[in-house]
Amino acid sequence: MVRLPLTAEQLAAGKRLGRQLRLARGDRTIAEVAQAAAISPETLRKIETGRLATPGFSTIAALARVLPMSLDDLAEICLARNDFQQTG
C-alpha cells in the first residue's frame, strides 16, 4: 500500500502541533518527556520539528498524558487554520 503525499494543510498542522508540544514541554528535555510518554526521543524530536507531521494517535495520547495538554487541545491545534485559509 502506497501512502499518498501529505497536503500543505497536513504539513502546516504538523508544524503547529510540534510547536505547541515544544512549548508544553517547557524546561523538560526531549529525553525526559519521551521516556515518560514511552516513545523514542527521536520520534518526539521529529514531531516537534514538523518532520513527522501525522504522528499516530497512541503517540499523541501518550504525550497528552505527560504534558499539560488535553487531547481536545491537541485536536484544536491540528484542526485550526490560519485566517487566510478560513476566508479564502
Side-chain angles (χ1 to χ4, degrees):
M1 185 164 140
V2 175
R3 183 174 177 173
L4 296 175
L6 298 178
T7 65
E9 187 175 309
Q10 289 171 316
L11 293 170
K15 289 189 183 293
R16 286 192 306 273
L17 174 65
R19 186 172 36 252
Q20 291 303 313
L21 289 173
R22 171 62 191 98
L23 290 173
R25 183 165 58 83
D27 293 336
R28 296 169 72 183
T29 67
I30 284 179
E32 289 171 330
V33 172
Q35 182 177 14
I39 64 173
S40 75
E42 185 59 23
T43 295
L44 181 53
R45 185 175 294 107
K46 286 179 181 178
I47 294 169
E48 285 187 0
T49 60
R51 288 182 20 231
L52 179 55
T54 58
F57 177 78
S58 60
T59 299
I60 294 302
L63 288 168
R65 191 190 64 209
V66 301
L67 294 172
M69 298 187 82
S70 71
L71 284 174
D72 286 337
D73 293 337
L74 293 171
E76 285 298 320
I77 291 163
C78 291
L79 297 174
R81 296 180 180 179
N82 65 36
D83 291 341
F84 175 76
Q85 289 175 319
Q86 289 178 347
T87 60

